[in-house]
């Protein structure tokens, strides 16, 4: 395994700056984000990583496949849009020769990251807004603005995978299903455990569909050792960062530099290695302080912490 | 199944006020908290619930058994103190004829709810505090102030259960292991899934050790239907509240009135009923707005929302 910089860790850097940074810090791989690739231009990005001799350890990200769970025409259109966008992401991953396309599958239909539930979500005056007393009058079960059908949302993901996996396979791209910490189940990923992601994989060839193991998302899972053992041949990416305590108010930014949180990386890395994974290890940190720091300093810290805490041996 | 008021939902009410409130709103059961019982007095509480003809659907709570994972004498003392306190909780549950003693097992040793990690937690300057750049100098792996040994903490829980289950059994008290949402794994409960709790139960007779199914904690779990099916005879308590989105900054207070969040209660209640559970259903809400509201209004809302959203039929 060798260290890779996921470019969201040094979010201020463009693709060109990230590529330069990897070369300067003697890293052999970079994880790219579609937004940044679009800013740089896809062809230019391909040229830059090729000239630098870097591997693209992943392209982030496809997914958000669950909107099809909204009723009627709105749902059908949203599902078609999601499939189109994912086909474009697969095409980009193919151009970049990325080791995989990371798939964040999406949350409950109509629930938006960080935003309050649609006002029609079962209560005209959600108790979370302001200090009003909970409403008894006017409460109507049902939720035209979003869906609480978690099982249905999970079925939409399986359905979309049935369309996208063959498309990816034809282009030599591996989809990497990323289970996210259950705290993100409402708004970002109804895929919540490694075991659930593996179960989804098994209908497809390993070179078409694998999983992402991200320490932040899986560290707490009592089934992790067993599920990593059965992930042999299916781990498409290994991402590391720490889990901060307490989490910041925006839980999306609770990812910390290794050593600053509660995760013991050794046992997880050993189990990932034990499952036969020999690819790159991306450090992917969403964290306001890390983003505010000098990116070169962040990469230096990342290398030192990685060496001290992450390797299996 | 019938509705029970967990007294933390109407947190401003004393035991006496909660008992009066249950009678006034025609509820047949109440879930009590040890702090409130201590304020009222144990003997007085026994008298009040008996006179009112109420069932005590649970006593909250025992647990916090993991501190024994701290090194040396500090760990040994902490473990002994935790066992002593749990024996007292069992004695109180016996006096109250509570249907169970809810066990929140504790997080990583030395990690405190809502507090930053001990300063020695692997980094002298955690990146979460202030806007300092991540430290590279002075970083030393290892964490004298707390433990990252999650597997070890889980072993401490099993070990403590080996002491406490027979003690509870002799007094006719049923311990109810509560898996908490994984977001509470660092500081409150290394017991993170229903499946994990069931696995711990199976070494003991069903009347000694069961599980709590709390919708807030388990709604996201892809294994929930399967684990509820195998929970037959082991469900000691069923607690309901909603999961708010987005969570408030203090994630402990993300519990909402049914209908205000993302949980579809019907399928969960049906599976709980399918596992043979016929006990009381407690509504337990930790929520600043609910606590600020008039408790009688909260109970009225609770009854209406429960009837509209929770029953299996």
């Amino acid at each position: 395994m060798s260290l890779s910089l996921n470019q969201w860790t040094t979010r201020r850097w463009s693709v060109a700056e990230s590529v330069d940074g990897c070369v300067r810090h003697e890293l052999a791989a970079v994880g790219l984000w579609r937004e940044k690739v679009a800013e740089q231009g896809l062809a230019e990005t391909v040229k830059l990583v090729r000239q630098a001799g870097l591997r693209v350890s992943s392209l982030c990200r496809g997914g958000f496949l669950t909107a099809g769970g909204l009723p009627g025409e709105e749902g059908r259109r949203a599902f078609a849009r999601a499939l189109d966008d994912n086909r474009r992401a697969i095409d980009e991953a193919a151009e970049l020769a990325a080791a995989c396309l990371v798939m964040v599958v999406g949350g409950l239909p109509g629930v938006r990251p960080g935003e309050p539930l649609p006002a029609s979500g079962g209560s005209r005056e959600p108790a979370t807004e302001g200090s009003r007393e909970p409403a008894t009058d006017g409460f109507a079960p049902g939720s035209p603005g979003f869906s609480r059908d978690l099982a249905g949302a999970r079925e939409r993901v399986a359905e979309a995978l049935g369309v996208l996996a063959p498309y990816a396979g034809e282009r030599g791209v591996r989809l990497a299903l990323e289970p996210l910490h259950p705290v993100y189940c409402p708004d970002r990923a109804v895929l919540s455990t490694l075991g659930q992601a593996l179960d989804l994989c098994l209908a497809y060839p390993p070179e078409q569909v694998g999983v992402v193991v991200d320490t932040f998302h899986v560290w707490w899972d009592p089934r992790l050792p067993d599920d990593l053992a059965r992930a042999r041949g299916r781990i498409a990416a290994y991402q590391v960062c720490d889990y901060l305590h307490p989490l910041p108010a925006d839980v999306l930014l609770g990812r910390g530099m290794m050593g600053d949180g509660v995760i013991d990386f050794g046992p997880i890395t050993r189990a990932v290695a034990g499952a036969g994974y020999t690819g790159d290890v991306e450090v992917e940190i969403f964290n306001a302080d890390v983003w505010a720091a000098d990116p070169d300093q962040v990469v230096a810290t990342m290398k030192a912490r990685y060496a001290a805490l992450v390797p299996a041996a």
Side-chain angles (χ1 to χ4, degrees), chain A residues 64-70 79 105-111 146-161 185-192 196 200:
Chain A
F64 293 95
L65 301 163
T66 52
L70 292 172
F79 194 60
V105 302
L108 291 170
V111 177
F146 72 104
S147 166
R148 293 185 176 89
D149 181 8
L150 178 57
R154 287 169 168 165
E155 284 165 19
R156 290 295 83 66
V157 173
E159 185 185 342
L161 205 57
C185 188
D187 56 348
R188 294 178 195 273
V190 294
L191 201 51
S192 304
Q196 185 192 5
L200 265 179

Side-chain angles (χ1 to χ4, degrees), chain A residues 181-204:
Chain A
H181 192 288
V183 78
Y184 302 121
C185 188
D187 56 348
R188 294 178 195 273
V190 294
L191 201 51
S192 304
T193 65
L194 180 60
Q196 185 192 5
L198 285 172
D199 290 344
L200 265 179
C201 279
L202 296 178
Y204 304 95

Side-chain angles (χ1 to χ4, degrees), chain A residues 8-296:
Chain A
W8 220 249
T9 301
T10 50
R11 189 178 172 179
R12 282 193 274 164
W13 275 350
S14 67
V15 164
E17 289 168 323
S18 299
V19 167
D20 283 350
C22 286
V23 171
R24 199 160 55 247
H25 291 276
E26 301 180 328
L27 298 173
V30 66
L32 298 174
W33 278 66
R34 291 182 71 202
E35 297 88 321
K36 297 279 192 184
V37 170
E39 282 168 25
Q40 192 76 51
L42 179 60
E44 175 71 9
T45 300
V46 169
K47 197 174 128 195
L48 286 169
V49 294
R50 200 165 296 168
Q51 282 176 343
L54 291 178
R55 294 185 296 275
V56 178
S57 48
S58 77
L59 178 64
C60 297
R61 58 196 185 180
F64 293 95
L65 301 163
T66 52
L70 292 172
E73 186 59 25
E74 186 182 1
R76 278 188 293 277
R77 279 196 201 148
F79 194 60
R81 271 199 308 274
L83 291 179
D84 280 347
D85 186 56
N86 277 278
R87 289 189 193 97
R88 282 193 295 276
I90 290 167
D91 293 343
E92 292 163 24
E95 285 289 312
L96 291 163
C100 62
L101 174 65
V102 172
M103 302 288 282
V104 171
V105 302
L108 291 170
V111 177
R112 289 187 186 76
E115 291 182 22
L117 297 177
S120 49
S123 157
R124 292 185 308 186
E125 300 187 343
T128 43
E129 287 182 353
S131 59
R132 290 184 297 269
E133 294 180 7
T136 45
D137 298 332
F139 173 78
S143 51
F146 72 104
S147 166
R148 293 185 176 89
D149 181 8
L150 178 57
R154 287 169 168 165
E155 284 165 19
R156 290 295 83 66
V157 173
E159 185 185 342
L161 205 57
V163 176
L164 295 173
Y167 185 92
E170 287 164 16
R171 282 148 191 85
V173 170
R174 190 181 201 188
L175 303 180
L177 301 177
E178 182 163 19
L180 259 54
H181 192 288
V183 78
Y184 302 121
C185 188
D187 56 348
R188 294 178 195 273
V190 294
L191 201 51
S192 304
T193 65
L194 180 60
Q196 185 192 5
L198 285 172
D199 290 344
L200 265 179
C201 279
L202 296 178
Y204 304 95
E207 67 276 13
Q208 262 178 37
V209 187
V211 297
V212 181
V213 177
D214 181 313
T215 54
F216 180 93
H217 295 308
V218 302
W219 73 277
W220 58 271
D221 187 349
R223 297 180 61 89
L224 188 61
D226 289 345
D227 282 328
L228 282 173
R230 74 183 179 101
R232 177 164 290 277
R234 291 285 179 175
I235 301 177
Y238 179 37
Q239 295 183 330
V240 299
C241 74
D242 218 328
Y243 184 98
L244 299 180
H245 174 80
L247 289 178
D250 181 351
V251 293
L252 188 66
L253 306 185
R255 301 172 69 94
M257 189 61 76
M258 296 78 75
D260 288 345
V262 298
I263 296 178
D264 186 9
F265 294 94
I268 302 177
T269 303
R270 283 192 289 277
V272 168
Y277 184 74
T278 57
D280 295 306
V281 185
E282 283 186 12
V283 172
E284 186 192 53
I285 301 178
F286 299 0
N287 180 304
D289 294 329
V290 170
W291 290 339
D294 169 35
D296 271 294

